Amino acid sequence: MIGLLYPTRDCGEDDFLACARKLDPDLTVDFAYVPWGENIGRVDDLDPAEKHEAVRELGAPERLAAAARFGTAPDVVSWACSSCSFTRGLAGAREQARVLSERLGVPARSTSLAYLTALAHLGTKRVALASVYHRDTTTSFVDFLAEAGIETVHSVSADAPSDRALATWDRRRITELATAADTKPPKPS
């Protein structure tokens, strides 16, 4: 069983379940939810700096450990919130995984660490980045990648107002974002 720690209830869990079914029809996934801070309110209403701080707070290792309660003990666990796993830097992402692994006694990762693992598997050292985040948060991800030895050659930021808003994006919008990242901006003259 895969345990996923997730930040927002009823916001894309079906995508994880569909992916698991495609990998193995017998694979089960359970979710545990990490509550947003009491002073957050609606994420859509926060300015970029407040959102950035809110996701850092949400990804605090002790907050993750407290929320990691599953109906059935997982075989592996992942913190499935990318921005909350890279805004603390590479050491912070590794600390989140370490704390979760110690708390549950199983291997633990995060989406950001999984991204690094995939890049290593592919032998990739340079990326173009299509980010759904505000440019400040995108910069944090570029910095995270740089800490891991990955060069970002170009990035674009879509500035999605929230994870709920992002969950409504259709294929066309996502494809446009990826295409924009794949197109280098003109060099200054």
Side-chain angles (χ1 to χ4, degrees):
M1 195 271 282
I2 297 173
L4 291 180
L5 278 166
Y6 206 61
T8 307
R9 191 175 298 274
D10 302 322
C11 187
E13 293 95 321
D14 55 332
D15 291 337
F16 289 105
L17 297 173
C19 183
R21 279 191 301 277
K22 285 182 178 180
L23 291 172
D24 181 346
D26 296 327
L27 188 59
T28 58
V29 179
D30 191 12
F31 295 89
Y33 297 91
V34 182
W36 288 91
E38 294 175 18
N39 301 325
I40 298 302
R42 282 178 21 98
V43 175
D44 293 19
D45 295 336
L46 302 176
D47 69 31
E50 290 169 327
K51 281 181 192 176
H52 188 80
E53 191 51 41
V55 297
R56 278 187 53 80
E57 178 184 334
L58 188 64
E62 61 278 4
R63 181 180 223 104
L64 301 181
R69 296 184 184 351
F70 297 93
T72 302
D75 298 305
V76 64
V77 67
S78 183
W79 174 213
C81 181
S82 300
S83 60
C84 296
S85 62
F86 66 70
T87 53
R88 294 173 167 271
L90 183 55
R94 289 177 174 153
E95 176 67 5
Q96 290 169 335
R98 184 193 65 74
V99 166
L100 286 171
S101 183
E102 285 180 3
R103 160 81 172 78
L104 296 168
V106 298
R109 297 297 275 174
S110 68
T111 48
S112 296
L113 292 175
Y115 185 67
L116 294 179
T117 300
L119 292 175
H121 178 76
L122 294 170
T124 301
K125 292 289 188 187
R126 299 173 66 227
V127 297
L129 181 61
S131 168
V132 299
Y133 308 112
H134 182 271
R135 68 180 174 278
D136 295 341
T137 303
T138 299
T139 298
S140 290
F141 191 46
V142 169
D143 293 345
F144 172 85
L145 294 173
E147 283 184 75
I150 305 298
E151 176 190 1
T152 301
V153 296
H154 179 59
S155 68
V156 294
S157 300
D159 198 13
S162 70
D163 49 357
R164 284 206 187 280
L166 179 59
T168 67
W169 287 14
D170 61 14
R171 177 179 291 206
R172 178 195 55 78
R173 189 159 183 193
I174 293 168
T175 301
E176 287 172 356
L177 178 62
T179 301
D182 192 38
T183 305
K184 284 192 175 186
K187 293 189 181 205
S189 39

